[in-house]
Structure formats: C-alpha cells, structure tokens
PDB file of all heavy atoms in Angstrom:
ATOM      1  N   THR A   1     -81.448 127.358  24.310  1.00 89.00           N
ATOM      2  CA  THR A   1     -82.384 126.160  24.339  1.00 89.00           C
ATOM      3  C   THR A   1     -81.996 125.254  25.537  1.00 89.00           C
ATOM      4  O   THR A   1     -82.882 124.800  26.236  1.00 89.00           O
ATOM      5  CB  THR A   1     -82.290 125.357  23.063  1.00 89.00           C
ATOM      6  OG1 THR A   1     -82.620 126.230  21.903  1.00 89.00           O
ATOM      7  CG2 THR A   1     -83.307 124.210  22.963  1.00 89.00           C
ATOM      8  N   GLN A   2     -80.750 125.002  25.735  1.00 90.00           N
ATOM      9  CA  GLN A   2     -80.292 124.135  26.818  1.00 90.00           C
ATOM     10  C   GLN A   2     -80.665 124.711  28.165  1.00 90.00           C
ATOM     11  O   GLN A   2     -81.209 124.057  29.019  1.00 90.00           O
ATOM     12  CB  GLN A   2     -78.749 123.981  26.701  1.00 90.00           C
ATOM     13  CG  GLN A   2     -78.240 123.000  27.733  1.00 90.00           C
ATOM     14  CD  GLN A   2     -76.721 122.981  27.642  1.00 90.00           C
ATOM     15  OE1 GLN A   2     -76.093 123.759  26.964  1.00 90.00           O
ATOM     16  NE2 GLN A   2     -76.060 121.970  28.291  1.00 90.00           N
ATOM     17  N   VAL A   3     -80.509 126.035  28.377  1.00 90.00           N
ATOM     18  CA  VAL A   3     -80.790 126.659  29.703  1.00 90.00           C
ATOM     19  C   VAL A   3     -82.220 126.719  29.872  1.00 90.00           C
ATOM     20  O   VAL A   3     -82.731 126.440  30.957  1.00 90.00           O
ATOM     21  CB  VAL A   3     -80.156 128.124  29.701  1.00 90.00           C
ATOM     22  CG1 VAL A   3     -80.724 128.980  30.851  1.00 90.00           C
ATOM     23  CG2 VAL A   3     -78.627 128.064  29.687  1.00 90.00           C
ATOM     24  N   SER A   4     -83.021 126.921  28.741  1.00 90.00           N
ATOM     25  CA  SER A   4     -84.507 126.930  28.930  1.00 90.00           C
ATOM     26  C   SER A   4     -85.040 125.578  29.326  1.00 90.00           C
ATOM     27  O   SER A   4     -85.899 125.531  30.213  1.00 90.00           O
ATOM     28  CB  SER A   4     -85.104 127.338  27.562  1.00 90.00           C
ATOM     29  OG  SER A   4     -84.823 128.717  27.299  1.00 90.00           O
ATOM     30  N   PHE A   5     -84.557 124.511  28.661  1.00 89.00           N
ATOM     31  CA  PHE A   5     -84.933 123.247  29.098  1.00 89.00           C
ATOM     32  C   PHE A   5     -84.557 122.863  30.572  1.00 89.00           C
ATOM     33  O   PHE A   5     -85.360 122.194  31.208  1.00 89.00           O
ATOM     34  CB  PHE A   5     -84.560 122.176  28.059  1.00 89.00           C
ATOM     35  CG  PHE A   5     -85.308 122.239  26.790  1.00 89.00           C
ATOM     36  CD1 PHE A   5     -84.593 122.319  25.595  1.00 89.00           C
ATOM     37  CD2 PHE A   5     -86.706 122.127  26.773  1.00 89.00           C
ATOM     38  CE1 PHE A   5     -85.292 122.317  24.388  1.00 89.00           C
ATOM     39  CE2 PHE A   5     -87.385 122.208  25.584  1.00 89.00           C
ATOM     40  CZ  PHE A   5     -86.709 122.234  24.473  1.00 89.00           C
ATOM     41  N   TYR A   6     -83.429 123.284  30.959  1.00 89.00           N
ATOM     42  CA  TYR A   6     -83.063 122.960  32.321  1.00 89.00           C
ATOM     43  C   TYR A   6     -83.962 123.759  33.264  1.00 89.00           C
ATOM     44  O   TYR A   6     -84.368 123.215  34.290  1.00 89.00           O
ATOM     45  CB  TYR A   6     -81.560 123.486  32.602  1.00 89.00           C
ATOM     46  CG  TYR A   6     -80.564 122.615  32.034  1.00 89.00           C
ATOM     47  CD1 TYR A   6     -79.375 123.019  31.633  1.00 89.00           C
ATOM     48  CD2 TYR A   6     -80.644 121.179  32.145  1.00 89.00           C
ATOM     49  CE1 TYR A   6     -78.384 122.245  31.039  1.00 89.00           C
ATOM     50  CE2 TYR A   6     -79.678 120.315  31.648  1.00 89.00           C
ATOM     51  CZ  TYR A   6     -78.567 120.855  31.109  1.00 89.00           C
ATOM     52  OH  TYR A   6     -77.549 120.128  30.667  1.00 89.00           O
ATOM     53  N   TYR A   7     -84.400 124.934  32.892  1.00 89.00           N
ATOM     54  CA  TYR A   7     -85.281 125.784  33.743  1.00 89.00           C
ATOM     55  C   TYR A   7     -86.608 125.044  33.802  1.00 89.00           C
ATOM     56  O   TYR A   7     -87.227 124.974  34.862  1.00 89.00           O
ATOM     57  CB  TYR A   7     -85.387 127.141  33.024  1.00 89.00           C
ATOM     58  CG  TYR A   7     -86.566 127.983  33.742  1.00 89.00           C
ATOM     59  CD1 TYR A   7     -86.324 128.613  34.921  1.00 89.00           C
ATOM     60  CD2 TYR A   7     -87.745 128.122  33.048  1.00 89.00           C
ATOM     61  CE1 TYR A   7     -87.312 129.409  35.509  1.00 89.00           C
ATOM     62  CE2 TYR A   7     -88.745 128.915  33.579  1.00 89.00           C
ATOM     63  CZ  TYR A   7     -88.481 129.518  34.812  1.00 89.00           C
ATOM     64  OH  TYR A   7     -89.551 130.327  35.364  1.00 89.00           O
ATOM     65  N   TYR A   8     -87.127 124.612  32.691  1.00 88.00           N
ATOM     66  CA  TYR A   8     -88.496 124.015  32.678  1.00 88.00           C
ATOM     67  C   TYR A   8     -88.466 122.633  33.329  1.00 88.00           C
ATOM     68  O   TYR A   8     -89.421 122.236  34.083  1.00 88.00           O
ATOM     69  CB  TYR A   8     -89.031 123.864  31.259  1.00 88.00           C
ATOM     70  CG  TYR A   8     -89.398 125.198  30.590  1.00 88.00           C
ATOM     71  CD1 TYR A   8     -88.821 125.643  29.513  1.00 88.00           C
ATOM     72  CD2 TYR A   8     -90.368 126.059  31.209  1.00 88.00           C
ATOM     73  CE1 TYR A   8     -89.084 126.805  28.904  1.00 88.00           C
ATOM     74  CE2 TYR A   8     -90.628 127.309  30.685  1.00 88.00           C
ATOM     75  CZ  TYR A   8     -90.097 127.653  29.511  1.00 88.00           C
ATOM     76  OH  TYR A   8     -90.338 128.784  28.931  1.00 88.00           O
ATOM     77  N   ARG A   9     -87.300 121.889  33.235  1.00 88.00           N
ATOM     78  CA  ARG A   9     -87.252 120.614  33.952  1.00 88.00           C
ATOM     79  C   ARG A   9     -87.150 120.808  35.489  1.00 88.00           C
ATOM     80  O   ARG A   9     -87.820 120.080  36.178  1.00 88.00           O
ATOM     81  CB  ARG A   9     -85.941 119.945  33.488  1.00 88.00           C
ATOM     82  CG  ARG A   9     -85.806 118.477  34.034  1.00 88.00           C
ATOM     83  CD  ARG A   9     -84.627 117.842  33.509  1.00 88.00           C
ATOM     84  NE  ARG A   9     -83.425 118.497  34.119  1.00 88.00           N
ATOM     85  CZ  ARG A   9     -82.239 118.117  33.737  1.00 88.00           C
ATOM     86  NH1 ARG A   9     -82.016 117.153  32.847  1.00 88.00           N
ATOM     87  NH2 ARG A   9     -81.232 118.744  34.258  1.00 88.00           N
ATOM     88  N   SER A  10     -86.450 121.792  35.888  1.00 87.00           N
ATOM     89  CA  SER A  10     -86.409 122.188  37.330  1.00 87.00           C
ATOM     90  C   SER A  10     -87.858 122.500  37.885  1.00 87.00           C
ATOM     91  O   SER A  10     -88.182 122.139  38.935  1.00 87.00           O
ATOM     92  CB  SER A  10     -85.416 123.193  37.652  1.00 87.00           C
ATOM     93  OG  SER A  10     -85.824 124.381  37.201  1.00 87.00           O
ATOM     94  N   LEU A  11     -88.632 123.271  37.052  1.00 84.00           N
ATOM     95  CA  LEU A  11     -89.894 123.557  37.481  1.00 84.00           C
ATOM     96  C   LEU A  11     -90.819 122.373  37.676  1.00 84.00           C
ATOM     97  O   LEU A  11     -91.584 122.200  38.670  1.00 84.00           O
ATOM     98  CB  LEU A  11     -90.640 124.488  36.376  1.00 84.00           C
ATOM     99  CG  LEU A  11     -90.275 125.942  36.393  1.00 84.00           C
ATOM    100  CD1 LEU A  11     -91.001 126.724  35.382  1.00 84.00           C
ATOM    101  CD2 LEU A  11     -90.704 126.564  37.795  1.00 84.00           C
ATOM    102  N   VAL A  12     -90.646 121.447  36.661  1.00 83.00           N
ATOM    103  CA  VAL A  12     -91.509 120.180  36.697  1.00 83.00           C
ATOM    104  C   VAL A  12     -91.072 119.408  37.833  1.00 83.00           C
ATOM    105  O   VAL A  12     -91.923 118.798  38.610  1.00 83.00           O
ATOM    106  CB  VAL A  12     -91.368 119.454  35.376  1.00 83.00           C
ATOM    107  CG1 VAL A  12     -91.968 118.086  35.451  1.00 83.00           C
ATOM    108  CG2 VAL A  12     -92.005 120.220  34.239  1.00 83.00           C
ATOM    109  N   GLN A  13     -89.824 119.258  38.102  1.00 86.00           N
ATOM    110  CA  GLN A  13     -89.273 118.457  39.312  1.00 86.00           C
ATOM    111  C   GLN A  13     -89.734 119.049  40.547  1.00 86.00           C
ATOM    112  O   GLN A  13     -90.061 118.380  41.496  1.00 86.00           O
ATOM    113  CB  GLN A  13     -87.780 118.445  39.203  1.00 86.00           C
ATOM    114  CG  GLN A  13     -87.216 117.520  38.170  1.00 86.00           C
ATOM    115  CD  GLN A  13     -85.700 117.478  38.077  1.00 86.00           C
ATOM    116  OE1 GLN A  13     -85.010 118.416  38.514  1.00 86.00           O
ATOM    117  NE2 GLN A  13     -85.208 116.480  37.314  1.00 86.00           N
ATOM    118  N   LYS A  14     -89.796 120.399  40.718  1.00 85.00           N
ATOM    119  CA  LYS A  14     -90.287 121.001  41.999  1.00 85.00           C
ATOM    120  C   LYS A  14     -91.773 120.696  42.181  1.00 85.00           C
ATOM    121  O   LYS A  14     -92.158 120.305  43.283  1.00 85.00           O
ATOM    122  CB  LYS A  14     -90.120 122.507  41.845  1.00 85.00           C
ATOM    123  CG  LYS A  14     -88.653 123.049  42.049  1.00 85.00           C
ATOM    124  CD  LYS A  14     -88.645 124.508  41.920  1.00 85.00           C
ATOM    125  CE  LYS A  14     -87.171 125.068  41.854  1.00 85.00           C
ATOM    126  NZ  LYS A  14     -87.115 126.501  41.655  1.00 85.00           N
ATOM    127  N   GLU A  15     -92.571 120.768  41.083  1.00 83.00           N
ATOM    128  CA  GLU A  15     -93.920 120.494  41.217  1.00 83.00           C
ATOM    129  C   GLU A  15     -94.116 119.001  41.548  1.00 83.00           C
ATOM    130  O   GLU A  15     -94.997 118.694  42.377  1.00 83.00           O
ATOM    131  CB  GLU A  15     -94.725 120.779  39.858  1.00 83.00           C
ATOM    132  CG  GLU A  15     -94.803 122.250  39.690  1.00 83.00           C
ATOM    133  CD  GLU A  15     -95.652 122.912  40.797  1.00 83.00           C
ATOM    134  OE1 GLU A  15     -96.672 122.455  41.191  1.00 83.00           O
ATOM    135  OE2 GLU A  15     -95.205 124.033  41.198  1.00 83.00           O
ATOM    136  N   THR A  16     -93.395 118.044  40.937  1.00 86.00           N
ATOM    137  CA  THR A  16     -93.443 116.642  41.224  1.00 86.00           C
ATOM    138  C   THR A  16     -93.102 116.435  42.646  1.00 86.00           C
ATOM    139  O   THR A  16     -93.659 115.556  43.314  1.00 86.00           O
ATOM    140  CB  THR A  16     -92.553 115.914  40.242  1.00 86.00           C
ATOM    141  OG1 THR A  16     -92.920 116.191  38.963  1.00 86.00           O
ATOM    142  CG2 THR A  16     -92.747 114.433  40.519  1.00 86.00           C
ATOM    143  N   LYS A  17     -92.084 117.009  43.150  1.00 84.00           N
ATOM    144  CA  LYS A  17     -91.568 116.867  44.590  1.00 84.00           C
ATOM    145  C   LYS A  17     -92.617 117.385  45.501  1.00 84.00           C
ATOM    146  O   LYS A  17     -92.889 116.643  46.513  1.00 84.00           O
ATOM    147  CB  LYS A  17     -90.227 117.623  44.713  1.00 84.00           C
ATOM    148  CG  LYS A  17     -89.563 117.403  46.072  1.00 84.00           C
ATOM    149  CD  LYS A  17     -88.311 118.134  46.259  1.00 84.00           C
ATOM    150  CE  LYS A  17     -87.646 117.980  47.519  1.00 84.00           C
ATOM    151  NZ  LYS A  17     -86.399 118.671  47.736  1.00 84.00           N
ATOM    152  N   LYS A  18     -93.237 118.415  45.193  1.00 85.00           N
ATOM    153  CA  LYS A  18     -94.325 118.964  46.108  1.00 85.00           C
ATOM    154  C   LYS A  18     -95.520 117.950  46.097  1.00 85.00           C
ATOM    155  O   LYS A  18     -96.028 117.651  47.202  1.00 85.00           O
ATOM    156  CB  LYS A  18     -94.893 120.416  45.600  1.00 85.00           C
ATOM    157  CG  LYS A  18     -93.956 121.487  45.912  1.00 85.00           C
ATOM    158  CD  LYS A  18     -94.530 122.764  45.300  1.00 85.00           C
ATOM    159  CE  LYS A  18     -93.551 123.852  45.423  1.00 85.00           C
ATOM    160  NZ  LYS A  18     -94.098 125.208  44.773  1.00 85.00           N
ATOM    161  N   GLN A  19     -95.868 117.404  44.889  1.00 85.00           N
ATOM    162  CA  GLN A  19     -96.939 116.445  44.954  1.00 85.00           C
ATOM    163  C   GLN A  19     -96.660 115.169  45.678  1.00 85.00           C
ATOM    164  O   GLN A  19     -97.437 114.639  46.402  1.00 85.00           O
ATOM    165  CB  GLN A  19     -97.320 116.103  43.416  1.00 85.00           C
ATOM    166  CG  GLN A  19     -97.956 117.267  42.705  1.00 85.00           C
ATOM    167  CD  GLN A  19     -98.070 116.899  41.165  1.00 85.00           C
ATOM    168  OE1 GLN A  19     -97.616 115.837  40.697  1.00 85.00           O
ATOM    169  NE2 GLN A  19     -98.797 117.726  40.482  1.00 85.00           N
ATOM    170  N   LEU A  20     -95.307 114.743  45.503  1.00 85.00           N
ATOM    171  CA  LEU A  20     -94.950 113.470  46.304  1.00 85.00           C
ATOM    172  C   LEU A  20     -94.948 113.783  47.850  1.00 85.00           C
ATOM    173  O   LEU A  20     -95.350 112.885  48.586  1.00 85.00           O
ATOM    174  CB  LEU A  20     -93.528 113.068  45.886  1.00 85.00           C
ATOM    175  CG  LEU A  20     -93.454 112.418  44.436  1.00 85.00           C
ATOM    176  CD1 LEU A  20     -92.051 112.116  44.133  1.00 85.00           C
ATOM    177  CD2 LEU A  20     -94.276 111.098  44.418  1.00 85.00           C
ATOM    178  N   GLU A  21     -94.548 115.042  48.250  1.00 87.00           N
ATOM    179  CA  GLU A  21     -94.548 115.266  49.654  1.00 87.00           C
ATOM    180  C   GLU A  21     -96.021 115.339  50.159  1.00 87.00           C
ATOM    181  O   GLU A  21     -96.256 114.914  51.221  1.00 87.00           O
ATOM    182  CB  GLU A  21     -93.797 116.678  49.895  1.00 87.00           C
ATOM    183  CG  GLU A  21     -92.275 116.547  49.838  1.00 87.00           C
ATOM    184  CD  GLU A  21     -91.696 117.919  49.769  1.00 87.00           C
ATOM    185  OE1 GLU A  21     -92.353 118.964  49.857  1.00 87.00           O
ATOM    186  OE2 GLU A  21     -90.400 117.953  49.760  1.00 87.00           O
ATOM    187  N   ASN A  22     -96.844 115.925  49.398  1.00 88.00           N
ATOM    188  CA  ASN A  22     -98.308 116.042  49.827  1.00 88.00           C
ATOM    189  C   ASN A  22     -98.808 114.573  49.961  1.00 88.00           C
ATOM    190  O   ASN A  22     -99.619 114.308  50.835  1.00 88.00           O
ATOM    191  CB  ASN A  22     -99.016 116.875  48.848  1.00 88.00           C
ATOM    192  CG  ASN A  22     -98.769 118.345  48.999  1.00 88.00           C
ATOM    193  OD1 ASN A  22     -98.205 118.803  49.957  1.00 88.00           O
ATOM    194  ND2 ASN A  22     -99.057 119.105  47.953  1.00 88.00           N
ATOM    195  N   LEU A  23     -98.609 113.728  48.997  1.00 87.00           N
ATOM    196  CA  LEU A  23     -98.965 112.356  48.969  1.00 87.00           C
ATOM    197  C   LEU A  23     -98.448 111.661  50.052  1.00 87.00           C
ATOM    198  O   LEU A  23     -99.196 110.930  50.805  1.00 87.00           O
ATOM    199  CB  LEU A  23     -98.657 111.708  47.627  1.00 87.00           C
ATOM    200  CG  LEU A  23     -99.193 110.283  47.456  1.00 87.00           C
ATOM    201  CD1 LEU A  23    -100.636 110.166  47.435  1.00 87.00           C
ATOM    202  CD2 LEU A  23     -98.617 109.704  46.218  1.00 87.00           C
ATOM    203  N   GLN A  24     -97.235 111.814  50.478  1.00 88.00           N
ATOM    204  CA  GLN A  24     -96.666 111.166  51.536  1.00 88.00           C
ATOM    205  C   GLN A  24     -97.326 111.590  52.884  1.00 88.00           C
ATOM    206  O   GLN A  24     -97.547 110.704  53.756  1.00 88.00           O
ATOM    207  CB  GLN A  24     -95.126 111.446  51.638  1.00 88.00           C
ATOM    208  CG  GLN A  24     -94.348 110.743  52.715  1.00 88.00           C
ATOM    209  CD  GLN A  24     -92.953 111.191  52.771  1.00 88.00           C
ATOM    210  OE1 GLN A  24     -92.499 112.139  52.085  1.00 88.00           O
ATOM    211  NE2 GLN A  24     -92.211 110.458  53.541  1.00 88.00           N
ATOM    212  N   LYS A  25     -97.617 112.899  53.050  1.00 88.00           N
ATOM    213  CA  LYS A  25     -98.259 113.293  54.136  1.00 88.00           C
ATOM    214  C   LYS A  25     -99.679 112.721  54.278  1.00 88.00           C
ATOM    215  O   LYS A  25    -100.085 112.356  55.393  1.00 88.00           O
ATOM    216  CB  LYS A  25     -98.286 114.905  54.199  1.00 88.00           C
ATOM    217  CG  LYS A  25     -96.985 115.497  54.482  1.00 88.00           C
ATOM    218  CD  LYS A  25     -97.220 117.033  54.373  1.00 88.00           C
ATOM    219  CE  LYS A  25     -95.779 117.731  54.439  1.00 88.00           C
ATOM    220  NZ  LYS A  25     -95.871 119.184  54.278  1.00 88.00           N
ATOM    221  N   GLU A  26    -100.345 112.642  53.190  1.00 88.00           N
ATOM    222  CA  GLU A  26    -101.771 112.070  53.235  1.00 88.00           C
ATOM    223  C   GLU A  26    -101.644 110.567  53.604  1.00 88.00           C
ATOM    224  O   GLU A  26    -102.544 110.159  54.427  1.00 88.00           O
ATOM    225  CB  GLU A  26    -102.428 112.207  51.851  1.00 88.00           C
ATOM    226  CG  GLU A  26    -102.807 113.612  51.492  1.00 88.00           C
ATOM    227  CD  GLU A  26    -103.283 113.756  50.096  1.00 88.00           C
ATOM    228  OE1 GLU A  26    -103.825 112.749  49.620  1.00 88.00           O
ATOM    229  OE2 GLU A  26    -103.259 114.850  49.550  1.00 88.00           O
ATOM    230  N   VAL A  27    -100.695 109.943  53.081  1.00 89.00           N
ATOM    231  CA  VAL A  27    -100.583 108.424  53.416  1.00 89.00           C
ATOM    232  C   VAL A  27    -100.231 108.355  54.919  1.00 89.00           C
ATOM    233  O   VAL A  27    -100.665 107.377  55.573  1.00 89.00           O
ATOM    234  CB  VAL A  27     -99.553 107.810  52.480  1.00 89.00           C
ATOM    235  CG1 VAL A  27     -99.158 106.401  53.039  1.00 89.00           C
ATOM    236  CG2 VAL A  27    -100.002 107.774  51.021  1.00 89.00           C
ATOM    237  N   GLN A  28     -99.294 109.160  55.350  1.00 84.00           N
ATOM    238  CA  GLN A  28     -98.924 109.093  56.787  1.00 84.00           C
ATOM    239  C   GLN A  28    -100.172 109.310  57.683  1.00 84.00           C
ATOM    240  O   GLN A  28    -100.292 108.609  58.722  1.00 84.00           O
ATOM    241  CB  GLN A  28     -97.817 110.155  57.026  1.00 84.00           C
ATOM    242  CG  GLN A  28     -97.230 110.048  58.375  1.00 84.00           C
ATOM    243  CD  GLN A  28     -96.136 110.982  58.619  1.00 84.00           C
ATOM    244  OE1 GLN A  28     -95.858 111.886  57.695  1.00 84.00           O
ATOM    245  NE2 GLN A  28     -95.315 110.801  59.604  1.00 84.00           N
ATOM    246  N   LYS A  29    -100.977 110.466  57.346  1.00 86.00           N
ATOM    247  CA  LYS A  29    -102.121 110.628  58.141  1.00 86.00           C
ATOM    248  C   LYS A  29    -103.057 109.461  58.159  1.00 86.00           C
ATOM    249  O   LYS A  29    -103.678 109.142  59.166  1.00 86.00           O
ATOM    250  CB  LYS A  29    -102.837 111.888  57.618  1.00 86.00           C
ATOM    251  CG  LYS A  29    -102.062 113.189  57.897  1.00 86.00           C
ATOM    252  CD  LYS A  29    -102.846 114.346  57.310  1.00 86.00           C
ATOM    253  CE  LYS A  29    -101.993 115.632  57.476  1.00 86.00           C
ATOM    254  NZ  LYS A  29    -102.797 116.809  56.922  1.00 86.00           N
ATOM    255  N   GLU A  30    -103.306 108.904  56.961  1.00 86.00           N
ATOM    256  CA  GLU A  30    -104.260 107.651  56.849  1.00 86.00           C
ATOM    257  C   GLU A  30    -103.709 106.532  57.637  1.00 86.00           C
ATOM    258  O   GLU A  30    -104.341 105.886  58.281  1.00 86.00           O
ATOM    259  CB  GLU A  30    -104.339 107.336  55.347  1.00 86.00           C
ATOM    260  CG  GLU A  30    -105.200 108.265  54.564  1.00 86.00           C
ATOM    261  CD  GLU A  30    -106.650 108.276  55.096  1.00 86.00           C
ATOM    262  OE1 GLU A  30    -107.222 107.292  55.480  1.00 86.00           O
ATOM    263  OE2 GLU A  30    -107.196 109.399  55.155  1.00 86.00           O
ATOM    264  N   ALA A  31    -102.274 106.400  57.621  1.00 84.00           N
ATOM    265  CA  ALA A  31    -101.742 105.184  58.375  1.00 84.00           C
ATOM    266  C   ALA A  31    -101.974 105.420  59.913  1.00 84.00           C
ATOM    267  O   ALA A  31    -102.307 104.525  60.650  1.00 84.00           O
ATOM    268  CB  ALA A  31    -100.312 105.065  58.080  1.00 84.00           C
ATOM    269  N   ILE A  32    -101.644 106.688  60.287  1.00 82.00           N
ATOM    270  CA  ILE A  32    -101.871 106.959  61.796  1.00 82.00           C
ATOM    271  C   ILE A  32    -103.344 106.841  62.161  1.00 82.00           C
ATOM    272  O   ILE A  32    -103.585 106.209  63.245  1.00 82.00           O
ATOM    273  CB  ILE A  32    -101.332 108.427  62.109  1.00 82.00           C
ATOM    274  CG1 ILE A  32     -99.866 108.497  61.942  1.00 82.00           C
ATOM    275  CG2 ILE A  32    -101.795 108.891  63.444  1.00 82.00           C
ATOM    276  CD1 ILE A  32     -99.268 109.886  62.031  1.00 82.00           C
ATOM    277  N   LYS A  33    -104.178 107.256  61.330  1.00 84.00           N
ATOM    278  CA  LYS A  33    -105.662 107.131  61.676  1.00 84.00           C
ATOM    279  C   LYS A  33    -106.072 105.668  61.730  1.00 84.00           C
ATOM    280  O   LYS A  33    -106.752 105.270  62.701  1.00 84.00           O
ATOM    281  CB  LYS A  33    -106.440 107.772  60.504  1.00 84.00           C
ATOM    282  CG  LYS A  33    -107.904 107.852  60.765  1.00 84.00           C
ATOM    283  CD  LYS A  33    -108.577 108.534  59.694  1.00 84.00           C
ATOM    284  CE  LYS A  33    -110.148 108.492  59.772  1.00 84.00           C
ATOM    285  NZ  LYS A  33    -110.862 109.155  58.672  1.00 84.00           N
ATOM    286  N   THR A  34    -105.584 104.863  60.825  1.00 85.00           N
ATOM    287  CA  THR A  34    -105.913 103.395  60.866  1.00 85.00           C
ATOM    288  C   THR A  34    -105.232 102.813  62.092  1.00 85.00           C
ATOM    289  O   THR A  34    -105.988 102.003  62.760  1.00 85.00           O
ATOM    290  CB  THR A  34    -105.268 102.733  59.574  1.00 85.00           C
ATOM    291  OG1 THR A  34    -105.857 103.355  58.390  1.00 85.00           O
ATOM    292  CG2 THR A  34    -105.660 101.275  59.538  1.00 85.00           C
ATOM    293  N   LEU A  35    -104.019 103.061  62.512  1.00 81.00           N
ATOM    294  CA  LEU A  35    -103.411 102.543  63.639  1.00 81.00           C
ATOM    295  C   LEU A  35    -104.139 103.010  64.953  1.00 81.00           C
ATOM    296  O   LEU A  35    -104.340 102.120  65.834  1.00 81.00           O
ATOM    297  CB  LEU A  35    -101.993 102.985  63.758  1.00 81.00           C
ATOM    298  CG  LEU A  35    -101.001 102.290  62.845  1.00 81.00           C
ATOM    299  CD1 LEU A  35     -99.639 102.953  62.953  1.00 81.00           C
ATOM    300  CD2 LEU A  35    -100.919 100.796  63.229  1.00 81.00           C
ATOM    301  N   GLU A  36    -104.652 104.237  64.967  1.00 80.00           N
ATOM    302  CA  GLU A  36    -105.382 104.796  66.131  1.00 80.00           C
ATOM    303  C   GLU A  36    -106.671 103.956  66.224  1.00 80.00           C
ATOM    304  O   GLU A  36    -107.077 103.592  67.304  1.00 80.00           O
ATOM    305  CB  GLU A  36    -105.618 106.253  65.993  1.00 80.00           C
ATOM    306  CG  GLU A  36    -104.415 107.052  66.228  1.00 80.00           C
ATOM    307  CD  GLU A  36    -104.622 108.553  66.024  1.00 80.00           C
ATOM    308  OE1 GLU A  36    -105.752 108.934  65.520  1.00 80.00           O
ATOM    309  OE2 GLU A  36    -103.840 109.393  66.407  1.00 80.00           O
ATOM    310  N   GLU A  37    -107.406 103.724  65.118  1.00 81.00           N
ATOM    311  CA  GLU A  37    -108.571 103.055  65.176  1.00 81.00           C
ATOM    312  C   GLU A  37    -108.523 101.608  65.617  1.00 81.00           C
ATOM    313  O   GLU A  37    -109.291 101.076  66.325  1.00 81.00           O
ATOM    314  CB  GLU A  37    -109.382 103.048  63.786  1.00 81.00           C
ATOM    315  CG  GLU A  37    -109.799 104.475  63.406  1.00 81.00           C
ATOM    316  CD  GLU A  37    -110.391 104.600  62.028  1.00 81.00           C
ATOM    317  OE1 GLU A  37    -110.228 103.472  61.252  1.00 81.00           O
ATOM    318  OE2 GLU A  37    -110.841 105.554  61.580  1.00 81.00           O
ATOM    319  N   LYS A  38    -107.498 100.913  65.118  1.00 79.00           N
ATOM    320  CA  LYS A  38    -107.281  99.489  65.425  1.00 79.00           C
ATOM    321  C   LYS A  38    -106.680  99.345  66.846  1.00 79.00           C
ATOM    322  O   LYS A  38    -107.106  98.363  67.501  1.00 79.00           O
ATOM    323  CB  LYS A  38    -106.384  98.879  64.406  1.00 79.00           C
ATOM    324  CG  LYS A  38    -107.024  98.723  63.080  1.00 79.00           C
ATOM    325  CD  LYS A  38    -106.152  97.845  62.079  1.00 79.00           C
ATOM    326  CE  LYS A  38    -106.886  97.657  60.848  1.00 79.00           C
ATOM    327  NZ  LYS A  38    -106.199  96.808  59.941  1.00 79.00           N
TER     328      LYS A  38
END
C-alpha cells in the first residue's frame, strides 16, 4: 500500500509539474506579447 501510494503520488506530481510548466510558458508568451505591443 505504501509503495503504491508513493507511485500514484509521483504520477500526480509529474502531471502537476507539467501543467505548471505549461502555464508558466503561456504566461511568459503573453507577457512578451504585451511588452512587444506596448
């Protein structure tokens, strides 16, 4: 049970990390676009 929960927790953390990285890239692109326009 302990090993299984560590496995599932790591899967969730990987997915969360990917989502945060994608969100960071989107925010960075929007910031660059806004700076270029202004």
